[in-house]
Every structure is written in structure tokens, then in C-alpha cells.
Amino acid sequence: DTAVSQTPKYLVTQMGNDKSIKCEQNLGHDTMYWYKQDSKKFLKIMFSYNNKELIINETVPNRFSPKSPDKAHLNLHINSLELGDSAVYFCASSLNGLNTGELFFGEGSRLTVL
Amino acid sequence: AQSVTQLDSQVPVFEEAPVELRCNYSSSVSVYLFWYVQYPNQGLQLLLKYLSGSTLVKSINGFEAEFNKSQTSFHLRKPSVHISDTAEYFCAVTNTNAGKSTFGDGTTLTVKP
């Protein structure tokens, strides 16, 4: 029973297209995150939601729009895809926004923009 | 502001040798400290964490890390590595007030037979 699940696992698309990645957690956590891991494996936070409310919004282009319909789901929509968006996107969750415990990560969604 | 520096980007070792992966951090406030491991084509998973109390923390698979406040370090060690320990290791710090995590750039541990 997967704790944090993301779909799709792989995305290959053309520049200029729009794509979405979905994330669901069944841990009962209040806080969810999107992280971007580039080809050098550097990991950067993009967004964080606590109980459906945006609490962290790093310097991310407006083409990226997160949506949290409820606290168990956090989706990421990307408009007008660019080559530089190619990366692995990880969803994660934690018990609460204070993050005194661990982050639970999904398996990642590998986006390739051609 | 907080930052994490992992001093070695790649660490190749032979099986059964000891290993140390170094992590230094800087922060103007108290932090929690974490080590995560990422096996190929997988997400990150927690290896061990320091929140408070004893400065030496251990994982179930033989890794340990020691929080050194004066040197602002949280180095990861294992006395004898296995091939299966080959992975990417990330050090992370979390601001105890704001809850935001910052990750280091990762260390690739490659264990050779």
C-alpha cells in the first residue's frame, strides 16, 4: 500500500505543451510538497501546502501551478513546457508544517521535454 | 537563512571498508538534521534524524551520524559498507520555527566489490 503515490511515472512531451502530475498520500499528513530534482540530482523545493493552504512558494515560474483539492492530494500543472523543465518531480508529505519528523517521498515523475 | 554543504560529491569505496559522508550546515536558528538515501530510480527515504537528545543517532542498517553543534556538522558514517549501500545520500536541515527543509547537493556513494 503506497504511502505517497504520483502519476504518471514518466512523461515525454514537446515544448509548448501543458502537462499535469498528480500526487496522493494516504498517511493522513497535513502537509504536502513538490520538489524538483535536476539532472545533477540537486533537489529544490517548489511548493508546500498545509491543509490545502499554500505555505511555501519558492521562486518558480508562473507556468507552474499547484492545486490541492484536499489535504491528501497535491497536483502540479505546468503550462507552456520548456526544455529546462526536464527533471524528476517528487511529491512529498510530512505530518505537519513544522516538519519535526521526516518527509515521505513519492517515487518521482520523470518529465522529458523535447 | 539556512544552507547545507555536502563536502564530497562522489565517494567510491570498496566493499567492507568504512565510509564517512560529510555534511556541514549553517543556520541562524535551531535546526533539525536528517540524512536521506535515494536508491536508483526511487524517491528519497529517511535514513536517520537528529531532533534533540543524544547527539549520536543510528539507523537500522548500520549507519550512524553525530550532531556536532560547535562544528555545525552532521557527518554520516558506516564501519563496513555493502554493495547494496550504493546510492545517493542527501543531508537536510529543517528550521525548527518555519519547518522549511533545505537539502545538500547529495553525495554519490559507490561501493565496489
Side-chain angles (χ1 to χ4, degrees), chain B residues 37-108:
Chain B
V37 58
Q38 183 180 25
Y39 298 106
N41 299 314
Q42 294 187 26
L44 283 72
Q45 49 189 285
L46 182 73
L47 189 58
L48 42 75
K49 62 185 176 185
Y50 172 79
L51 303 181
S52 65
S54 173
T55 57
L56 182 66
V57 290
K58 299 185 180 187
S59 73
I60 57 172
N61 58 353
F63 283 94
E64 63 180 38
E66 184 150 26
F67 169 53
N68 187 319
K69 190 173 181 180
S70 61
Q71 296 187 7
T72 59
S73 68
F74 191 54
H75 300 333
L76 181 70
R77 300 184 183 95
K78 188 170 184 179
S80 175
V81 293
H82 302 293
I83 299 283
S84 58
D85 292 324
T86 294
E88 192 79 17
Y89 290 80
F90 292 92
C91 181
V93 298
T94 301
N95 181 318
T96 59
N97 294 332
K100 180 182 168 183
S101 296
T102 301
F103 283 80
D105 289 341
T107 298
T108 304

Side-chain angles (χ1 to χ4, degrees), chain A residues 15-32:
Chain A
M15 267 184 6
N17 284 350
D18 303 339
K19 287 293 176 189
S20 292
I21 307 171
K22 295 186 175 182
C23 179
E24 175 181 3
Q25 54 96 2
N26 63 6
L27 298 166
H29 288 169
D30 285 338
T31 308
M32 296 184 72

Side-chain angles (χ1 to χ4, degrees), chain A residues 9-10 33 35 37 40-45 56 58 90 97-108 110, chain B residues 32 34 36 38 41-46 49 51 88 90 94-101 103-106 108:
Chain A
K9 194 164 182 176
Y10 298 98
Y33 310 79
Y35 281 84
Q37 187 175 47
K40 294 183 179 177
K41 303 216 172 167
F42 299 155
L43 199 63
K44 298 287 184 228
I45 190 167
I56 294 175
E58 293 296 292
F90 286 100
L98 290 177
N99 203 15
T100 53
E102 64 186 282
L103 287 166
F104 289 78
F105 284 84
E107 299 229 323
R110 183 177 293 276
Chain B
Y32 301 123
F34 303 83
Y36 288 85
Q38 183 180 25
N41 299 314
Q42 294 187 26
L44 283 72
Q45 49 189 285
L46 182 73
K49 62 185 176 185
L51 303 181
E88 192 79 17
F90 292 92
T94 301
N95 181 318
T96 59
N97 294 332
K100 180 182 168 183
S101 296
F103 283 80
D105 289 341
T108 304

